[in-house]
Amino acid sequence: LEEVKSYFSSHNFSDLWEESHAFFSNKIEKASFKSSLGVKLSEFWLPYQVLTSRFYARSGPYQSGGAWGYRDQAQDCLTVIDMDPAAVRNHIFRLAYHQFVEGDAEHWWHFGRGIRTRCSDDYLWLVWLTCLYIKRTKDKSILGVKISYLEDKPLSPKEKDRYKIHNRSEKKESLLEHLKRALDLLIDRGLGILGIFVIFTCYRSLTSFIISI
């Protein structure tokens, strides 16, 4: 409480404001956001909101409790990648760390507990984000970093989801192998009668994913 009070003291508030402004301005200036919208809106405030409210605080719509969303923050990274590529690199490892051995991933997690679902697109955002990161940064070394998996029995046919603290697997593989497992799962789930990959749940986000790529 005393630390909070010191932040609002008249003595150092202006200094903290300047420090905060410089910190975010420096990150946002590294990216070139061009839009037909107003300059202040599109080139500062929107990127600023993504970085602070969405990525750092994780307090956007449907996410006001600070939990990590697998695809939520992966989507945020599409904007953050130019402002803070190091943070995106670390987040890619975080996504891989919350992937199951079977290739799927926790839909979201908070203080150790996470939910395993049948969402069709969560694990695919790991693939796309990694590809985008390499395209933007030329950092291919990321593919060789080894990360462990989550381990638990797969959802039964009667289960829609399962919320718990999932076990940590002893299996540790390179990020490249994590990507392969995600794509193998997509292939194993097969094609539907229309000749496209089977969609289980979270279909709206999967549609957005397909349109985006």
Side-chain angles (χ1 to χ4, degrees), residues 3 7 19 28 37 40 47 57 59 65 84 87 89 102-103 117 120 125 134 146 160 183 188 200 210:
E3 185 176 353
Y7 273 66
E19 182 181 335
I28 293 172
L37 294 174
K40 280 289 185 182
S59 188
D84 196 343
R89 188 178 198 270
E102 291 79 9
T117 70
S120 303
W125 284 96
I134 293 174
K146 292 188 175 182
K160 179 182 178 182
L183 292 175
D188 289 345
F200 288 80
I210 294 172

Side-chain angles (χ1 to χ4, degrees), residues 148-204:
S148 62
Y149 295 89
L150 290 176
E151 189 174 59
D152 204 352
K153 62 179 181 179
L155 296 175
S156 71
K158 294 183 179 180
E159 283 184 293
K160 179 182 178 182
D161 53 49
R162 185 189 302 139
Y163 176 61
K164 59 174 289 190
I165 297 178
H166 295 102
N167 301 319
R168 177 59 48 188
S169 172
E170 294 183 1
K171 182 183 288 292
K172 218 175 190 182
E173 292 184 325
S174 68
L175 177 62
L176 181 60
E177 293 302 318
H178 279 257
L179 305 185
K180 288 180 180 178
R181 285 179 182 269
L183 292 175
D184 284 343
L185 176 60
L186 177 69
I187 294 170
D188 289 345
R189 285 180 167 180
L191 303 178
I193 58 175
L194 297 178
I196 61 175
F197 290 109
V198 174
I199 297 174
F200 288 80
T201 60
C202 309
Y203 60 91
R204 292 186 182 87

Side-chain angles (χ1 to χ4, degrees), residues 23-24 27 50-58 68 80 84 87:
F23 174 82
F24 288 108
K27 289 189 176 297
V50 171
L51 190 61
T52 57
S53 298
R54 292 285 312 170
F55 191 70
Y56 288 162
R58 297 180 300 286
W68 290 97
V80 175
D84 196 343

Side-chain angles (χ1 to χ4, degrees), residues 136-154:
R136 295 285 182 86
T137 66
K138 313 302 180 187
D139 174 21
K140 295 182 180 180
S141 67
I142 191 174
L143 295 174
V145 177
K146 292 188 175 182
I147 308 120
S148 62
Y149 295 89
L150 290 176
E151 189 174 59
D152 204 352
K153 62 179 181 179

Side-chain angles (χ1 to χ4, degrees), residues 14-29:
S14 59
D15 293 339
L16 290 169
W17 169 259
E18 291 298 330
E19 182 181 335
S20 176
H21 185 272
F23 174 82
F24 288 108
S25 294
N26 180 56
K27 289 189 176 297
I28 293 172
E29 284 172 4

